[in-house]
Amino acid sequence: MSSVETLVKRSLALSDLAPRAVQSEIRAMTAECDRIGGINLAQGVCDTGVPEVVAEGAIAAIRGGENIYTRMDGIARLRQAIAGQVERTRGFAPDPEREVVVTSGATGAYHAAAMALLNPGDEVLLFEPMYGYHAVTLLSLRVKPVVVSLRAEPAANGGPAWKLDLAAVRAAITPRTRAMLINTPANPSGKVFTRAEIEGLAAIACEHDLFVLTDEIYEHFVYGVC
């Protein structure tokens, strides 16, 4: 091997972050399921058709020439609709011009929020079991995920009831802690944080001046105990 080839092999390499940026376990299970032709119980893959009104709307947009860049925070009609939905369901009215941003999925929103609020070296509290991308996104920004494990206790339905230990949350906080992320109902455990747990986390966030990031993608998927 020539000296030039040796130099190239030494200088052209993956970044320090690349080995840690892996796809989620859920998508890995989906890929393996597809490989062997199995029944996918790992990922929420929709097996129903697109609603007719959505399909027709997409076709009309294509034929109407809706194919140019929009405002970076989303088209006005959609932002106004989101603000209206929040007002109807949450009781407060965000300003669609200043307080609503449309992103490419919840992961895109999380990445944008983390970039806006966090610096390399900051720490963010995550509650385990957790969605893998919550940690990987932070690592991609050189932000340290600090894991607080939930306590598994027997539940009435036979599965585990995941309990939050607020003392453990306090013990995990350091001078570099900048935020906490709450995912409720949680992926993949299905845990729904109780009002007492949410209020306890809110008190800790106020006490330590922390940002609170919430992933509420499954907010309407809450059922009674079987």
Side-chain angles (χ1 to χ4, degrees), residues 15-69:
S15 74
D16 293 338
L17 297 175
R20 293 181 290 179
V22 297
Q23 71 175 356
S24 70
E25 295 86 348
I26 296 172
R27 291 186 182 276
M29 289 295 290
T30 292
E32 180 62 13
C33 182
D34 290 344
R35 188 185 70 82
I36 66 174
I39 298 175
N40 191 351
L41 299 179
Q43 188 175 4
V45 179
C46 184
D47 58 0
T48 59
V50 177
E52 188 67 21
V53 64
V54 175
E56 290 301 322
I59 293 170
I62 293 171
R63 289 176 175 164
E66 300 290 344
N67 61 342
I68 61 173
Y69 292 118

Side-chain angles (χ1 to χ4, degrees), residues 74-125:
I75 61 175
R77 183 182 175 189
L78 179 54
R79 286 183 284 106
Q80 291 162 1
I82 293 170
Q85 192 268 348
V86 171
E87 183 175 11
R88 290 191 301 272
T89 60
R90 302 300 178 86
F92 68 95
D95 181 352
E97 285 297 314
R98 297 171 49 252
E99 299 176 315
V100 176
V101 178
V102 180
T103 67
S104 180
T107 300
Y110 174 44
H111 192 278
M115 287 187 67
L117 302 176
L118 306 174
N119 291 312
D122 285 346
E123 297 178 357
V124 177
L125 302 181

Side-chain angles (χ1 to χ4, degrees), residues 188-224:
S189 66
K191 173 185 172 54
V192 178
F193 283 76
T194 67
R195 185 180 186 89
E197 290 172 335
I198 293 294
E199 290 177 345
L201 290 173
I204 292 173
C206 290
E207 178 184 344
H208 293 275
D209 199 22
L210 305 179
F211 291 115
V212 177
L213 308 176
T214 65
D215 182 343
E216 302 169 21
I217 188 66
Y218 296 115
E219 64 176 324
H220 299 298
F221 288 78
V222 179
Y223 307 95

